[in-house]
Amino acid sequence: MSGTFPTSPAFQSLNIQSIQPTLISRTISGRRQARQIGGQLWKMTATFPPMTRAQFAPIYAFIVAQRGRYESFSLVPPVVANPQGSAGGTPLVNGASQTGRSLVTDGWTNSTLIFKAGDFLKLTGNDKVYMITADVTSSGTGTATISIEPALVASPANDEVIIHESIPFTVAFASGVQEFETGASGVYEFEIDVEEVL
């Protein structure tokens, strides 16, 4: 991995896509059959506000240092990288060998709405970012079972740390060509496309 994408200037807009490859077929009678053929991944398109050369140059230098699509790097997207709930405490995975679309956890602040549907989380043991699919309130003892999508890509270890704020997505550029636009005014216009890598 090759560093963290610069956070200033902040994106003007951010488009996030969830990619879940699926094969669909229909029988003559109209019955639908669906099968997932690969894992889920996040893609993002970020647009910057008009920038001066002094603002743009460090961003483009970081981009060129990625050698096209070769390197991966961390990107903490503004706005969505923090939960809507009041996630507090020292959250950990509660029990090893978990699989599927739920995660048993502990260490949260007691009896608190910690996540709302649409929030993200990440585990320290791998680079995958998961979306929470239902509101989550911790119990009186700080435990919580969290519904996530996609299914866990790997079984977490017991007491693995849960990242729930300033979540870093591990990404790479979606194209080997990165171009910018400028003119006599000296203003730079720029957009990036990245995709999650594991």
Side-chain angles (χ1 to χ4, degrees):
M1 190 156 64
S2 181
T4 300
F5 195 85
T7 56
S8 181
F11 304 141
Q12 177 174 300
S13 65
L14 179 66
N15 176 294
I16 300 178
Q17 298 176 320
S18 172
I19 309 297
Q20 293 177 298
T22 307
L23 288 177
I24 304 292
S25 63
R26 286 201 183 268
T27 63
I28 294 173
S29 66
R31 182 179 172 137
R32 177 181 180 270
Q33 295 180 340
R35 181 169 54 110
Q36 286 204 281
I37 56 171
Q40 184 270 358
L41 68 110
W42 302 104
K43 285 191 174 184
M44 299 180 207
T45 298
T47 304
F48 288 88
M51 296 177 282
T52 64
R53 183 176 182 188
Q55 292 171 314
F56 175 69
I59 292 170
Y60 201 62
F62 178 87
I63 289 166
V64 170
Q66 303 312 303
R67 298 187 282 164
R69 300 179 72 185
Y70 183 76
E71 296 284 356
S72 64
F73 54 94
S74 289
L75 186 148
V76 179
V79 183
V80 300
N82 291 315
Q84 302 169 78
S86 299
T90 308
L92 303 170
V93 172
N94 185 6
S97 303
Q98 295 186 47
T99 60
R101 289 178 164 79
S102 65
L103 185 64
V104 180
T105 64
D106 60 11
W108 300 101
T109 303
N110 297 347
S111 305
T112 303
L113 175 66
I114 54 176
F115 287 119
K116 295 192 79 150
D119 287 342
F120 293 95
L121 67 75
K122 185 175 184 176
L123 304 173
T124 54
N126 65 65
D127 290 328
K128 182 69 188 143
V129 173
Y130 301 93
M131 178 172 276
I132 288 93
T133 57
D135 291 359
V136 183
T137 300
S138 60
S139 72
T141 58
T143 62
T145 299
I146 304 169
S147 297
I148 59 171
E149 188 61 42
L152 290 164
V153 297
S155 292
N158 185 44
D159 290 337
E160 191 167 316
V161 175
I162 298 168
I163 303 168
H164 61 281
E165 293 181 327
S166 300
I167 297 170
F169 285 68
T170 302
V171 297
F173 287 109
S175 169
V177 178
Q178 300 296 323
E179 60 182 294
F180 62 89
E181 218 176 284
T182 189
S185 66
V187 174
Y188 289 75
E189 295 182 14
F190 195 60
E191 179 178 280
I192 60 169
D193 292 296
V194 297
E195 56 191 12
E196 185 178 35
V197 295
L198 303 180

